[in-house]
Amino acid sequence: MSDNRLIVFDTTLRDGEQSPGASMNLAEKLEIAHALAELGVDVIEAGFPIASPGDFEAVQAVARKIHGPVICGLARCNPTDIDRAWEALREAPRKRIHVFLATSAIHREYKLKMAKEEIVRRAVEGVKRARGYCEDVEFSPEDAARTELDFLAEVVEKVIEAGATTLNIPDTVGYAVPEQYAAAISHLRKHVRGIDKCILSVHCHNDLGLAVANSLAALREGARQVECTINGIGERAGNCALEEVVMALRTRADYFGLDIGVNTKRLWPTSRLVSRVTGIHVQRNKAIVGQNAFAHEAGIHQDGMLKHSATYEIMRPEDVGVHRTELVLGKHSGRHALSQRVRDLGYHLNDQQLNRLFDDFKVLADRKKTVYDADIEALAESVLHTGPAVWTLEAVTCNAGSGTVPCAAVVLWHKDGTIERDACTGDGPIDAVFKTIERITGVYVKLRSFSISSVTGDEDAQGEAQLEAEHKGRILRGRSVSTDIIEASALAYLQVINRALLREEMKMNPQTEEIVVA
Ligand code: KIV
Ligand code: ZN
């Protein structure tokens, strides 16, 4: 690999999934992993296998099915974590174990209660154990940006001797500023023996809005791997946004001079996919993938654009996969056109899922004159979101209006074949529907947010219901679309109830301990 080749390490499925409310099921993770491979990232960090059985299964499935990028699994520096990570990764054609241990004084004293010598010993043991399984081992001194530079250099040197091949320098709490972070990278390059044989990596959090700036500054000082997530999702304020760092490097290749393997035309569809799957909206004015990123409102700008687009545009929308005109489908469109469109939008559905999507598409095309990309994305999401369900909606009706008491009646099927019906009043029709669902299922959740939006801008648009609810300290998400917003709301609520019940079932399994790191 040339000295100027940058390794793009995507951690949407691991650090990104740690955004509150962003947890994904197996099918969703696989979908994103497919899209990341198509985008051309070099490494996919697929999860933290010891964290829960679900995480383990997801890493294992990605390792088995996604070929091309290196598949990476996270582990703390202890044998159980590392063995479990290996177990999940072993079938990947290209794999990496990523071990981490905090090094900063505050983590040593309060979190780990370990002296410096103990940290070095454990880090070395962890890397050696991982190397026993795998030639590609990454080590991260967690909270490196707040670690004393001489101690950081000592740890990094010792883990290189132990066999680490990539050294990641995380700014775990987003505390660094560009010059200082870049200086730390430069210091390590000058003072650590053996570092020239390894890849130095950067991993920045965005608490001060500096994750991309810090990453770019470090790349100028010789770091050759950048860790990032699609749309910058992640713990708290998130991580370095992949699309921003990639487009900065591409647009300012004159300044950075780095080669990247990412196909930038896949940035937009991948961003849309991640946003829909996680339920985390992309702000309108977000760089590169926001709805307004290529919109010109001011007259002077529009005039300049008409004369020469480079007057006000430093990147072309097509370069990031935004098309100025949208292809529309209708009821005469065939299965082939639909499946091609679904693929272009970044979804990889199996035959069974495609068949269901096609059926749903035909029903929708009968109700709506034109089916837009956003409609197809919404249909694809419903197909993907359909996981195992304890309860299924058979029917919902409600009655509301001024001068009446809002009330709802709901009929649900239980997976054991029984059918239950009930009715409730509520503060409004949707409240009445939710109360009835709770009473039938016996599962009570605390609604944190609820919104209904129209999927497209046309008159016969579908309504999309999205909600977040808390159940036993966990945030669960639900989303559904229908041309009937009451039905969409009931389906989204039921999705949350089913997820809560499935979590309860999984809890019977003693390995369901959940661990979260930055
Ligand atoms: O932010 C962080 O320190 C991390 C490590 C586990 C790499 O995510
Ligand atoms: Zn992180």
Side-chain angles (χ1 to χ4, degrees), residues 430-481:
I430 300 219
D431 183 51
V433 169
F434 290 178
K435 282 198 172 118
T436 317
I437 291 179
E438 284 187 333
R439 218 158 70 179
I440 297 179
T441 61
V443 180
Y444 294 84
V445 299
K446 193 167 166 22
L447 196 61
R448 287 279 211 89
S449 70
F450 170 68
S451 68
I452 294 197
S453 53
S454 83
V455 172
T456 52
D458 45 340
E459 271 174 13
D460 52 359
Q462 299 190 86
E464 177 171 56
Q466 289 203 50
L467 57 87
E468 270 184 21
E470 198 181 317
H471 182 254
K472 302 198 173 159
R474 273 261 147 199
I475 297 292
L476 302 170
R477 280 179 301 112
R479 154 194 282 143
S480 193
V481 284

Side-chain angles (χ1 to χ4, degrees), residues 14-15 74 98 100 140 142-143 168 170 172 203 205 517-518:
R14 200 276 298 169
D15 226 345
L74 185 68
H98 178 187
F100 75 99
S140 286
E142 191 189 5
D143 205 16
N168 184 35
T172 304
H203 176 114
H205 281 265
V517 288

Side-chain angles (χ1 to χ4, degrees), residues 11 14-16 18 45 74 98 142 168 170-173 203-205 227 229 234-236 238-239 517-518:
T11 183
R14 200 276 298 169
D15 226 345
Q18 291 173 205
E45 187 165 50
L74 185 68
H98 178 187
E142 191 189 5
N168 184 35
D171 179 18
T172 304
V173 290
H203 176 114
C204 297
H205 281 265
E227 301 200 355
T229 59
E235 197 78 61
R236 307 181 308 279
N239 289 57
V517 288

Side-chain angles (χ1 to χ4, degrees), residues 120 123-124 127 139 154-165 167:
V120 174
V124 164
V127 168
F139 177 77
E154 181 189 337
V155 175
V156 169
E157 193 164 297
K158 291 281 168 32
V159 295
I160 291 175
E161 280 167 23
T165 46
L167 279 311

Side-chain angles (χ1 to χ4, degrees), residues 237-432:
N239 289 57
C240 170
L242 182 147
E243 61 283 357
E244 293 181 21
V245 82
V246 161
M247 285 315 286
L249 293 168
R250 178 61 56 87
T251 309
R252 296 304 312 274
D254 60 316
Y255 182 73
F256 292 104
L258 293 176
D259 301 329
I260 27 181
V262 168
N263 172 4
T264 62
K265 289 189 167 33
R266 300 299 307 163
L267 287 173
W268 175 264
T270 313
S271 158
R272 299 268 308 168
L273 177 73
V274 169
S275 162
R276 294 197 65 86
V277 166
T278 58
I280 299 176
H281 286 287
V282 172
Q283 82 200 49
R284 282 182 95 90
N285 63 333
K286 159 104 174 53
I288 319 297
V289 290
Q291 227 177 310
N292 290 356
F294 296 95
H296 300 272
E297 175 79 19
I300 281 188
H301 290 206
Q302 289 175 350
D303 180 54
M305 283 289 294
L306 290 173
K307 289 177 176 146
H308 195 301
S309 64
T311 50
Y312 286 102
E313 220 166 57
I314 59 165
M315 301 164 271
R316 291 178 315 155
E318 319 59 299
D319 295 340
V320 303
V322 177
H323 296 287
R324 294 190 201 256
T325 50
E326 192 180 339
L327 216 112
V328 292
L329 297 176
K331 67 176 176 189
H332 301 298
S333 307
R335 182 186 298 265
H336 182 69
L338 178 70
S339 54
Q340 186 54 47
R341 197 75 206 119
V342 168
R343 266 199 83 89
D344 291 347
L345 291 170
Y347 292 89
H348 293 77
L349 305 185
N350 60 32
D351 285 348
Q352 204 186 348
Q353 290 168 327
L354 264 175
N355 287 343
R356 217 198 105 191
L357 182 93
F358 191 62
D359 293 343
D360 294 351
F361 165 75
K362 285 284 166 196
V363 173
L364 182 65
D366 262 341
R367 289 193 202 166
K368 251 180 131 262
K369 282 198 284 294
T370 315
V371 180
Y372 295 97
D373 283 352
D375 288 315
I376 297 172
E377 286 172 347
L379 292 179
E381 283 311 316
S382 329
V383 168
L384 279 172
H385 267 99
T386 313
V390 179
W391 292 97
T392 314
L393 183 72
E394 171 73 11
V396 56
T397 54
C398 65
N399 191 11
S402 52
T404 66
V405 179
C407 58
V410 176
V411 185
L412 300 181
W413 277 101
H414 189 269
K415 67 174 180 184
D416 69 11
T418 54
I419 192 159
E420 302 284 342
R421 48 174 61 92
D422 205 342
C424 280
T425 57
D427 293 334
I430 300 219
D431 183 51

